């Protein structure tokens, strides 16, 4: 079994059975995972998946199956969730990065507009000497600049936090998948030991 990375760059090669037959003759076509169209759809999907995996929830499908000793079934459910988490998480991170870029652009526009309207240079500036062309950073002075700069910084922090949480979640899901596989093969010892390790 070969798993193709879920990526926009690879989609043109296997989006339809005909395209796959041209790119990789003889391979069985499986429909690619569709991406949520909006940030709200992606968040909604991630919340649904979380409710299916939450230890405090009666809908915890994977935990219920593992606890019942049905490691294979739990593994299949988990494997079905991983691609959905991947595409929804990528949409969330991408949209937050776009918002970060927009906030930075908005800050730059506020600074440029105020600089153009001001004839006197009343802003404090710090010049970097380490480059041939001097880079100038202008400290925010007006309320509009400070507000725009705060929004840009907070949006950037939120995007970084989301990306970090997304990669952590994927690592945990893949680790759980590996543990389930080891439990099925008996590498972890008795089923009860495997169940405890997987559920922790």
């Amino acid at each position: 079994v070969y798993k193709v990375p879920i990526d926009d760059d690879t989609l043109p090669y296997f989006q339809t059975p005909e395209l796959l037959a041209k790119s990789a003759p003889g391979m069985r076509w499986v429909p690619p995972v569709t991406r949520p169209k909006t940030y709200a759809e992606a968040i909604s999907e991630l919340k649904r998946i979380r409710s299916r995996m939450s230890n405090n929830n009666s809908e915890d499908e994977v935990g219920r199956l593992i606890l019942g000793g049905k490691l294979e079934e739990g593994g299949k459910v988990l494997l079905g969730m991983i691609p959905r988490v991947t595409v929804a998480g990528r949409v969330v991170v991408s949209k937050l990065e776009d918002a970060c870029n927009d906030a930075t652009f908005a800050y730059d526009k506020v600074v440029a507009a105020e600089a153009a309207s001001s004839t006197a240079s009343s802003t404090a500036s710090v010049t970097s000497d380490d480059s041939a062309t001097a880079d100038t950073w202008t400290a925010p002075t007006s309320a509009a600049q400070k507000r725009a700069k705060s929004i840009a910084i907070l949006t950037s922090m939120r995007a970084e936090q989301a990306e970090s949480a997304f990669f952590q979640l994927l690592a945990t899901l893949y680790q759980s998948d590996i543990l389930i596989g080891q439990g099925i093969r008996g590498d972890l010892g008795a089923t009860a030991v495997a169940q405890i390790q997987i559920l922790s």
Side-chain angles (χ1 to χ4, degrees):
V1 174
Y2 176 70
K3 295 180 182 178
V4 179
I6 303 166
D7 199 338
D8 288 339
D9 296 336
T10 59
L11 220 56
Y13 298 102
F14 65 88
Q15 198 164 21
T16 65
E18 295 78 25
L19 288 171
L20 181 66
K22 285 181 192 173
S23 305
M27 290 190 76
R28 186 171 61 94
W29 183 78
V30 177
V33 179
T34 55
R35 297 178 86 136
K37 291 179 177 59
T38 64
Y39 176 84
E41 283 180 25
I43 290 290
S44 175
E45 181 160 9
L46 289 171
K47 285 180 179 178
R48 273 195 312 275
I49 292 169
R50 181 178 62 188
S51 76
R52 290 178 62 194
M53 298 181 73
S54 174
N55 287 335
N56 306 345
N57 193 336
S58 61
E59 296 175 27
D60 177 12
E61 221 174 322
V62 177
R64 206 170 11 91
L65 290 167
I66 299 297
L67 201 55
K70 300 175 182 175
L71 301 182
E72 269 188 57
E73 289 178 44
K76 286 178 184 175
V77 171
L78 182 66
L79 283 176
M81 290 177 179
I82 290 174
R84 297 303 321 154
V85 169
T86 302
V87 294
R90 283 185 180 169
V91 167
V92 169
V93 169
S94 171
K95 296 293 183 188
L96 287 173
E97 285 173 349
D98 290 347
C100 177
N101 293 337
D102 292 346
T104 303
F105 180 70
Y107 169 71
D108 292 342
K109 280 180 69 172
V110 168
V111 171
E114 289 183 1
S117 67
S118 165
T119 53
S121 176
S122 61
T123 56
S125 64
V126 178
T127 304
S128 162
D129 296 324
D130 58 350
S131 64
T133 61
D135 294 328
T136 303
W137 175 81
T138 306
T141 55
S142 74
Q145 282 185 18
K146 288 177 183 174
R147 187 171 43 254
K149 185 69 173 178
S150 295
I151 291 170
I153 290 170
L154 289 172
T155 307
S156 172
M157 289 171 64
R158 188 173 178 202
E160 286 178 24
Q161 206 173 25
E163 186 175 34
S164 174
F166 171 58
F167 287 129
Q168 240 179 342
L169 173 61
L170 284 182
T172 302
L173 290 173
Y174 288 128
Q175 183 181 11
S176 299
D177 179 35
I178 291 167
L179 279 172
I180 290 171
Q182 290 173 335
I184 291 169
R185 289 191 307 272
D187 296 348
L188 301 177
T191 304
V193 176
Q195 289 168 307
I196 291 168
Q197 285 192 28
I198 294 164
L199 292 172
S200 66

